[in-house]
Amino acid sequence: MGVRTRDSIVSAALELAGDTSLTTSANGWLNDFLRDEHRGWDWDFLRRWTTISLASGGVSASMALTHPTKARPKDVYVHAPAGAVGASLTTRRILTKRGFMSGLEADQHPLLSPTSGESGAPESWMFDARDSAGLIYVWPRADAAYSLDVEWYETPADPGASEVPIYPSDEVMIQAVLAKALFHMKDERASEAAGMLQAMAAKVRGRERDS
């Protein structure tokens, strides 16, 4: 991870740009860059695990996340219910990913009504991206109580002034702010800075992927 605070990164970038009056905007530019990177790639340093309980007859379970942390579930595994010795579901197995719910999709989920729908061992899952609590919906309706292991990626909160942003490279963060500042200033260096940022960020992603 990087070692410089948000304020140190922004200050260094604006010094290179030649305009230190852009601090407020630069804080936002850095936050935008970090959100895009955190959400756009499966970083190992953001991977988390949690176990949640699915009640008998249930169609959803909450990951109990606290705002502003957001989850991007990667995989969901289901355990055989307690006492299910000899049942077809005897070990943890992965459920089929059906994607992420939003808006009409969630409203039309066939198992949202608590009194209808077939039941059985969960086979597939969807995530309600609208809900900060992190609701995992399953199909079919649970015929017993199950434990679900959820592998997910965290989206960190925006860093404070004296906090070190969660990202592997100070140099890339400085370059991200510099590229935005030069574009804002209509500086002739802007295009070159943007190209350097793309190359530097790609190198960091590759290094993290291969580590």
Side-chain angles (χ1 to χ4, degrees):
M1 291 295 104
V3 296
R4 301 182 72 156
T5 66
R6 186 203 71 186
D7 275 5
S8 175
I9 290 165
V10 167
S11 176
L14 295 184
E15 287 285 348
L16 291 171
D19 187 344
T20 58
S21 69
L22 299 172
T23 299
T24 300
S25 296
N27 290 338
W29 296 332
L30 177 59
N31 290 340
D32 289 344
F33 169 77
L34 291 170
R35 291 190 205 109
D36 287 345
E37 289 292 300
H38 290 156
R39 296 171 183 171
W41 303 91
D42 293 341
W43 301 98
D44 279 346
F45 59 82
L46 295 180
R47 184 177 293 176
R48 306 286 185 266
W49 282 91
T50 190
T51 299
I52 57 180
S53 299
L54 180 65
S56 178
V59 298
S60 67
S62 173
M63 293 175 63
L65 301 173
T66 56
H67 189 75
T69 299
K70 298 291 185 180
R72 292 187 294 112
K74 179 178 184 292
D75 290 313
V76 176
Y77 302 80
V78 63
H79 291 271
V85 178
S88 59
L89 183 65
T90 57
T91 58
R92 189 181 81 161
R93 66 177 176 83
I94 192 168
L95 302 185
T96 301
K97 182 178 180 179
R98 298 299 184 192
F100 297 82
M101 294 184 187
S102 61
L104 192 60
E105 269 189 308
D107 296 335
Q108 292 180 339
H109 190 278
L111 298 182
L112 290 182
S113 170
T115 59
S116 65
E118 62 182 281
S119 63
E123 298 176 6
S124 60
W125 66 275
M126 294 185 76
F127 178 69
D128 189 350
R130 308 170 306 165
D131 194 304
S132 62
L135 285 175
I136 299 286
Y137 286 93
V138 300
W139 183 92
R141 179 184 306 280
D143 60 353
Y146 292 89
S147 292
L148 302 178
D149 290 338
V150 184
E151 181 182 4
W152 57 285
Y153 292 97
E154 178 183 50
T155 300
D158 295 337
S162 60
E163 293 178 332
V164 176
I166 301 175
Y167 186 76
S169 171
D170 290 336
E171 291 76 15
V172 174
M173 289 187 284
I174 291 171
Q175 187 67 24
V177 176
L178 173 61
K180 281 287 191 179
L182 294 177
F183 178 81
H184 175 81
M185 296 161 58
K186 297 181 172 58
D187 191 291
E188 62 182 11
R189 297 172 290 165
S191 179
E192 180 181 1
M196 289 181 60
L197 172 61
Q198 291 182 359
M200 293 168 67
K203 185 176 181 180
V204 168
R205 295 180 202 122
R207 184 181 67 209
E208 289 293 315
R209 181 188 63 239
D210 297 337
S211 63

